[in-house]
Amino acid sequence: MTARLATLLLGLSQRERWLLAGLFGLALPVAVVFFWVIPLLDARTKAAAELQEALKLRQWVGARAVDMAALDAPATAQEPERNRVPIGLSGIEESLKAAGLRDAVSRLANREAQGIELRFDRVGFRQLTDWLEATQPRWGYVLQGFRFERSDTPGMVSAEFLLGGGQ
């Protein structure tokens, strides 16, 4: 193969060899840009977008934690105890049906010590947060743990909640 290339190059004039070298000299940087630099820039742009989304999620969770702390303190002092009784599985299920989220629930089960485990494998983030804001202050459980995981589809998450006994 090298002998054929050498024979081909020797058959060309000096001007043709310079023209061929210039063509390869131009093709190499263009190939580097297209096959290395552009994919790196795309990956950087995607990572920056994912970072912004994660920061927004963190800000939302922090705001909900502040809201929860502000709502729980006066609620226990002002609301009668009968309104703080845990609503149970059926109450949570009814609120999920009313919000149109019942089909998205993959696990809704009792836990030890009068708690509930709630899991969504794939649900709209905004729809889930609207349901949480509307029902959490009156469901009578303490949010003991939660986890959100982003899915490949924009706006969709998987979520898991551990609810403890009533207050």
Side-chain angles (χ1 to χ4, degrees):
M1 169 114 170
T2 336
R4 291 181 78 191
L5 182 61
T7 305
L8 176 69
L9 289 176
L10 287 174
L12 298 176
S13 69
Q14 183 70 20
R15 184 175 179 189
E16 290 171 333
R17 279 185 242 150
W18 277 107
L19 184 61
L20 192 58
L23 182 65
F24 282 120
L26 181 64
L28 183 63
V30 169
V32 166
V33 166
F34 276 106
F35 294 111
W36 188 53
V37 175
I38 291 176
L40 283 177
L41 290 175
D42 290 343
R44 181 179 178 179
T45 303
K46 184 178 177 183
E50 289 175 359
L51 175 65
Q52 289 301 319
E53 187 175 330
L55 291 174
K56 286 179 184 177
L57 177 61
R58 182 179 180 187
Q59 182 181 11
W60 179 86
V61 169
R64 296 300 74 80
V66 169
D67 290 347
M68 186 174 147
L71 290 175
D72 281 345
T76 56
Q78 294 173 358
E79 287 186 20
E81 189 61 31
R82 62 184 167 76
N83 291 340
R84 301 299 290 175
V85 175
I87 61 176
L89 281 178
S90 62
I92 290 179
E93 187 170 14
E94 289 302 316
S95 70
L96 287 166
K97 285 178 184 175
L101 290 172
R102 182 57 183 112
D103 293 337
V105 174
S106 61
R107 180 163 175 78
L108 177 60
N110 283 323
R111 290 181 49 224
E112 69 283 344
Q114 299 177 359
I116 291 181
E117 182 179 342
L118 178 61
R119 174 151 180 76
F120 299 89
D121 284 334
R122 185 181 161 122
V123 65
F125 181 72
R126 183 66 182 170
Q127 188 179 14
L128 178 63
T129 57
D130 289 345
W131 173 75
L132 282 173
E133 286 179 342
T135 59
Q136 191 277 332
R138 53 190 174 81
W139 63 22
Y141 289 98
V142 177
L143 186 61
Q144 291 181 333
F146 65 92
R147 180 169 52 179
F148 288 100
E149 292 179 15
R150 185 177 63 110
S151 74
D152 295 335
T153 308
M156 300 298 281
V157 296
S158 65
E160 188 173 328
F161 300 97
L162 299 176
L163 310 175
Q167 299 177 352

